[in-house]
Amino acid sequence: MPALALGAIGVVFGDIGTSPLYTLRECLKAAGGVSPTNVYGIVSLILWSIIVVVTLKYVCFVMRADNDGEGGILALTALASEVAPVRLRRVLLTLGVFGAAMFYGDSMITPAISVISAVEGVTLIDPHLSEWIVPIALVILTGLFDLQKRGTGAVGKLFGPVMLLWFVALAVIGVTNIVGRPGILLAVSPTYAFVFATHAPATAFIVLGSVFLALTGGEALYADMGHFGKTPIRVSWLVLVFPALVLNYFGQAALVLSKPSVISQPFFESVPSWALIPLVVLSAFATIIASQAVISGAFSMTKQAVQLGLLPRIPVVHTSSDEIGQVYVPFINLTPYVAVVFLVLFFRSSDNLAAAYGIAVASTMLLTTLLMYFITHCLWRWKPVATFAVIVPMALVDLLFVSSNANKVMDGGWFPLLAGAALFTIMTTWHKGREMVVQQIRDDSLELAPLIQSLTTGEHPVMRTQGTAVFPGGVADMTPSAFLHNLKHNGVMHQINIFMAGSTDNTPHVSDDDKVALKDLGNGCYSVAVRHGFMEIPNIPDVLRLLERRIPGWHYDPADVSFFLGRDTIVATGKSHVMSLWRERLFAFLARNAAQAAEYFSLPPNRVVEMGGQVNL
């Protein structure tokens, strides 16, 4: 438990843990400046928003909805789709895909705003260093993204202790400033938030968009649940992270009441001058760790999306021989890096970035609440009264934050929305395109069992050759095009022929006992249905080792097996009534640029034979 809790502190809470760098500053800026009503009301709003959204919603409620131990919006979508009425499953898939797309869009801002807000502390050391903020931030971010290909295992060991020091520092700094003005603790009462909201409703509504900055990263508590488990995350949050954050926010509030002139940088002004340089350095490390958590989360979500058929095959590099979860996705690493560099150069300050931050992740939180309705109603079998009593208030709070962030669209919120919309289009196009291809194959292909029967027991049986032929990635019960091409060009069948059709379950992992279902077609031919979880990457050699126990007298010898793959060229014809021509062309483009099937299935390159074909949409 202590080790898991320390790991959770280092990985899970990086984003929400660095929010004190800029949240109170942006809230006071939105409120129009420092006044007792503003300060007490805002810090009370921050406290109760964290209690309601993070503690009650995520820690106490949403984390109960684990998908075989895994969390995150795609895992939740898979779980909800499993239990929801069939007619609603496509709707739920759309909601989940949209939420994942919004996560990607907003996660591009996290490294930019976190690192640049930490570097801005150098201006208190020397105001002339302000012109170096952007170059320093770009150097740090470039080093961070370059580090990904080396794996996070070694660096990850440092995450926990550094973030533990960070949260202890937050608490100590907060207590030091509260002692100077203990009256700020009265803001624990929600009446101050109520008075602030009723005194100037329009201003309070705008301020809520900045208050939400204290909640970004709350979704990570659920998304990273599979890495550490519920209990370590809950213990870390309740014992250390939550108290440290609250103390620091209250400490900053006490400071700005005593010295309104520090409103531009209340976090760094909270310490004496001798502690400023160490705090800037510690802040830089904390923001790097926060960025690392977001990048790793994007890698994991990409792996899930590929397995669920929402993205084309993307090369995934395992950076650890011991931990299967430690992966590096080169394309996903490059895309956010380019986006982050653009954001830093375009917005140039954490003030400007804060105006773009929040709207996309607020949408993801709302979608999580809507998906939780199906979990409570269909899976947990709650009574309708209990379901609505919990879901409706949470949805109203989420709607309030989404609407309060809507005014950020013109100030920069368009960027995560645009990035999310582009990814949503790609994911839905790929999913629909795959369905069309599978249907086209079913319409044009021959049924496998009757064809095998005619080829092996007819009047003119096909000549057989030694060895084993494996045909991965086929459609269940249909003849793979690679098999027909092999017959056409070589005129032979192997002694053993294994036809594989894969599917992805709505669970993260499938046990070895349930992974394969074998059907004997006779005369050395076998149809195999292969099931994988959405957290697994298909490995055909491992599947063949499982089949050794199922096929009598057969032994898997890599030197004796040939893998026949069909490389189909997708042609956009514009004749489909399902997708428009531009989406057909987008799907064809994605298919051409997908990772090679041989690499994706972990096949030995020198044993692979590829046969070309064409599919007209």
Side-chain angles (χ1 to χ4, degrees):
M1 177 62 70
L4 288 172
L6 184 63
I9 290 169
V11 175
V12 177
F13 302 107
D15 190 0
I16 198 170
T18 52
S19 295
L21 284 165
Y22 46 80
T23 297
L24 186 65
R25 179 191 70 200
E26 296 303 318
C27 290
L28 290 171
K29 178 182 174 183
V34 176
S35 72
T37 301
N38 287 352
V39 174
Y40 277 80
I42 287 171
V43 78
S44 184
L45 271 176
I46 291 175
L47 168 65
W48 286 97
S49 296
I50 293 175
I51 290 174
V52 171
V53 175
V54 182
T55 305
L56 295 181
K57 176 184 172 180
Y58 278 99
V59 174
C60 297
F61 180 60
V62 175
M63 285 180 65
R64 293 182 59 198
D66 65 294
N67 190 335
D68 195 20
E70 294 292 337
I73 188 140
L74 287 182
L76 183 63
T77 301
L79 184 62
S81 300
E82 189 77 14
V83 298
V86 176
R87 67 182 184 278
L88 296 177
R89 290 180 181 176
R90 187 170 292 276
V91 175
L92 295 182
L93 179 64
T94 302
L95 291 177
V97 170
F98 186 75
M102 290 298 104
F103 168 84
Y104 275 113
D106 229 32
S107 66
M108 295 176 181
I109 300 183
T110 298
I113 190 173
S114 298
V115 172
I116 206 169
S117 61
V119 176
E120 283 172 343
V122 301
T123 59
L124 297 180
I125 302 171
D126 185 349
H128 296 95
L129 293 175
S130 59
E131 62 186 30
W132 289 94
I133 291 175
V134 170
I136 292 172
L138 288 176
V139 169
I140 293 174
L141 289 166
T142 300
L144 174 63
F145 280 91
D146 182 65
L147 183 68
Q148 302 305 310
K149 62 177 177 287
R150 294 174 173 80
T152 59
V155 181
K157 295 177 182 178
L158 300 175
F159 284 6
V162 171
M163 290 307 294
L164 178 62
L165 177 61
W166 170 254
F167 286 115
V168 170
L170 289 183
V172 171
I173 293 169
V175 170
T176 302
N177 287 280
I178 291 171
V179 168
R181 191 153 185 158
I184 193 64
L185 294 176
L186 294 173
V188 169
S189 171
T191 56
Y192 286 91
F194 179 77
V195 169
F196 174 72
T198 55
H199 176 70
T203 300
F205 182 74
I206 295 173
V207 169
L208 273 178
S210 297
V211 169
F212 187 76
L213 295 173
L215 310 178
T216 56
E219 186 81 14
L221 276 71
Y222 179 55
D224 289 327
M225 184 171 58
H227 296 286
F228 302 99
K230 301 176 188 178
T231 303
I233 292 176
R234 284 171 171 164
V235 169
S236 300
W237 170 256
L238 295 173
V239 173
L240 176 66
V241 179
F242 174 54
L245 290 174
V246 171
L247 287 171
N248 193 266
Y249 283 124
F250 274 69
Q252 289 187 51
L255 178 67
V256 296
L257 282 173
S258 302
K259 297 173 60 178
S261 60
V262 304
I263 187 175
S264 61
Q265 286 288 359
F267 178 80
F268 289 108
E269 294 278 11
S270 298
V271 299
S273 57
W274 60 265
L276 185 57
I277 294 178
L279 183 60
V280 170
V281 174
L282 180 59
S283 300
F285 277 108
T287 54
I288 289 172
I289 292 171
S291 304
Q292 175 65 60
V294 170
I295 297 168
S296 300
F299 291 163
S300 298
M301 184 171 288
T302 299
K303 187 171 72 170
Q304 292 182 28
V306 170
Q307 282 302 99
L308 290 170
L310 301 173
L311 286 175
R313 295 187 301 266
I314 298 175
V316 175
V317 179
H318 289 273
T319 58
S320 171
S321 58
D322 301 319
E323 298 293 335
I324 192 170
Q326 292 184 15
V327 295
Y328 166 63
V329 186
F331 177 77
I332 298 301
N333 191 58
L334 177 63
T335 304
Y337 172 68
V338 173
V340 166
V341 170
F342 166 78
L343 287 167
V344 171
L345 293 175
F346 185 82
F347 290 97
R348 304 191 70 82
S349 74
S350 60
D351 278 341
N352 296 332
L353 281 165
Y357 198 28
I359 184 169
V361 75
S363 303
T364 303
M365 288 184 172
L366 175 60
L367 294 173
T368 296
T369 301
L370 296 179
L371 290 170
M372 283 301 298
Y373 166 79
F374 295 94
I375 301 299
T376 55
H377 181 66
C378 302
L379 180 62
W380 296 344
R381 303 292 181 183
W382 283 14
K383 293 181 179 180
V385 174
T387 298
F388 282 99
V390 173
I391 297 298
V392 170
M394 288 184 176
L396 290 176
V397 171
D398 290 334
L399 275 172
L400 187 60
F401 280 117
V402 170
S403 56
S404 65
N405 275 281
N407 66 337
K408 295 182 176 182
V409 173
M410 300 308 297
D411 295 327
W414 54 267
F415 179 84
L417 292 179
L418 181 63
L423 190 61
F424 178 77
T425 302
I426 290 173
M427 295 172 82
T428 53
T429 299
W430 181 257
H431 184 73
K432 176 57 67 177
R434 285 182 74 252
E435 289 183 342
M436 293 173 61
V437 168
V438 170
Q439 187 58 49
Q440 189 72 24
I441 291 174
R442 287 192 176 279
D443 293 341
D444 297 343
S445 299
L446 301 171
E447 289 191 28
L448 180 60
L451 178 64
I452 295 298
Q453 189 73 12
S454 65
L455 291 173
T456 56
T457 61
E459 295 182 3
H460 303 286
V462 175
M463 185 181 301
R464 310 294 285 265
T465 187
Q466 294 296 317
T468 299
V470 178
F471 301 87
V475 176
D477 301 322
M478 306 306 294
T479 305
S481 60
F483 177 70
L484 294 176
H485 286 306
N486 187 44
L487 283 175
K488 177 181 178 181
H489 294 291
N490 298 321
V492 297
M493 285 177 59
H494 286 70
Q495 286 297 116
I496 301 294
N497 296 272
I498 300 174
F499 303 91
M500 290 186 178
S503 63
T504 301
D505 280 15
N506 283 336
T507 55
H509 304 278
V510 176
S511 66
D512 287 349
D513 292 337
D514 298 327
K515 195 174 290 290
V516 295
L518 182 69
K519 183 190 295 184
D520 190 348
L521 302 177
N523 295 290
C525 297
Y526 302 89
S527 174
V528 181
V530 185
R531 297 166 52 203
H532 285 93
F534 60 77
M535 291 295 291
E536 299 176 299
I537 297 177
N539 187 301
I540 299 302
D542 286 349
V543 172
L544 292 175
R545 293 183 184 94
L546 294 176
L547 289 174
E548 280 186 312
R549 297 174 291 179
R550 312 284 183 92
I551 300 177
W554 179 74
H555 172 68
Y556 171 54
D557 181 2
D560 190 49
V561 176
S562 297
F563 299 92
F564 291 83
L565 297 174
R567 178 182 284 191
D568 293 322
T569 301
I570 307 298
V571 178
T573 63
K575 299 178 181 179
S576 167
H577 300 292
V578 180
M579 286 199 305
S580 57
L581 179 59
W582 71 268
R583 290 188 70 191
E584 288 185 5
R585 288 174 175 169
L586 174 60
F587 176 72
F589 172 79
L590 294 173
R592 287 195 302 270
N593 289 277
Q596 298 297 321
E599 179 183 3
Y600 183 70
F601 291 136
S602 301
L603 303 179
N606 60 339
R607 304 299 302 175
V608 174
V609 180
E610 291 191 343
M611 303 285 190
Q614 181 171 301
V615 176
N616 297 316
L617 295 180

